[in-house]
Amino acid sequence: MGATAGITIKAKITGIQDMDFSKISFKTPTVDFEKASFRSSFAGMSINGSLSVTKDGDSRGEGYQGDLTFTMPGDLFKVNANGGYFERDDFTWGFFYAKLGSATGLQIPPIAINEISGGFYFNCKKDPNNEQNAIPQKGVIGVIAGLGLSST
């Protein structure tokens, strides 16, 4: 089990120029949350996740992005989910995508369903190079659905 977090602490230090430590003070300290992640394994199962925060100046805008993965022993099944919500100066955009997969699949002879996936995108499009990301594009709304099949 483990976890990480990223924060930034900002403060203005005054009175340091004279090297008189009695005059040193910290003014208007702020704390900015940047990212948190966790991972855990128990009874052969594992769960991992993260949440990150973007600020003004990021090309995506100001917002949140996260992911979650849950795996059962022996890859009985695995769930991946990710998404994000961002506000830019000219529009708001976001996405959510989830995938459920299984090593054995749901057996319906002569086929097996090994994966089901789906998601939605508003004011963005799916990144063709990274299924855990999207590319902002105002006016685009999309839905994606998938089904993984194999023969038994």
Side-chain angles (χ1 to χ4, degrees):
M1 182 179 287
T4 60
I7 61 170
T8 301
I9 300 173
K10 300 175 189 174
K12 182 178 181 182
I13 302 173
T14 59
I16 198 166
Q17 62 273 17
D18 298 332
M19 294 305 288
D20 182 355
F21 292 106
S22 65
K23 294 180 182 178
I24 294 176
S25 66
F26 292 92
K27 303 277 183 180
T28 61
T30 60
V31 178
D32 291 333
F33 172 80
E34 294 170 357
K35 184 175 183 173
S37 63
F38 69 93
R39 60 197 167 285
S40 180
S41 295
F42 53 93
M45 298 176 283
S46 68
I47 186 167
N48 303 302
S50 69
L51 175 67
S52 60
V53 177
T54 61
K55 302 290 182 194
D56 277 338
D58 188 292
S59 63
R60 296 173 294 180
E62 188 172 320
Y64 306 92
Q65 185 164 352
D67 63 84
L68 182 66
T69 302
F70 178 74
T71 306
M72 291 289 292
D75 283 338
L76 180 60
F77 74 85
K78 182 176 183 175
V79 178
N80 294 326
N82 60 18
Y85 175 82
F86 305 93
E87 293 181 357
R88 294 174 56 154
D89 290 338
D90 51 345
F91 66 98
T92 300
W93 68 280
F95 68 98
F96 177 78
Y97 179 75
K99 177 170 50 173
L100 169 66
S102 172
T104 58
L106 177 60
Q107 306 289 322
I108 309 169
I111 63 168
I113 300 172
N114 294 325
E115 185 176 284
I116 299 171
S117 61
F120 65 89
Y121 302 83
F122 65 96
N123 283 330
C124 64
K125 62 182 181 180
K126 187 175 186 299
D127 186 340
N129 300 316
N130 182 355
E131 72 178 18
Q132 296 197 3
N133 211 357
I135 301 166
Q137 186 173 346
K138 189 174 182 177
V140 174
I141 297 175
V143 175
I144 186 169
L147 190 63
L149 303 173
S150 64
S151 61
T152 56

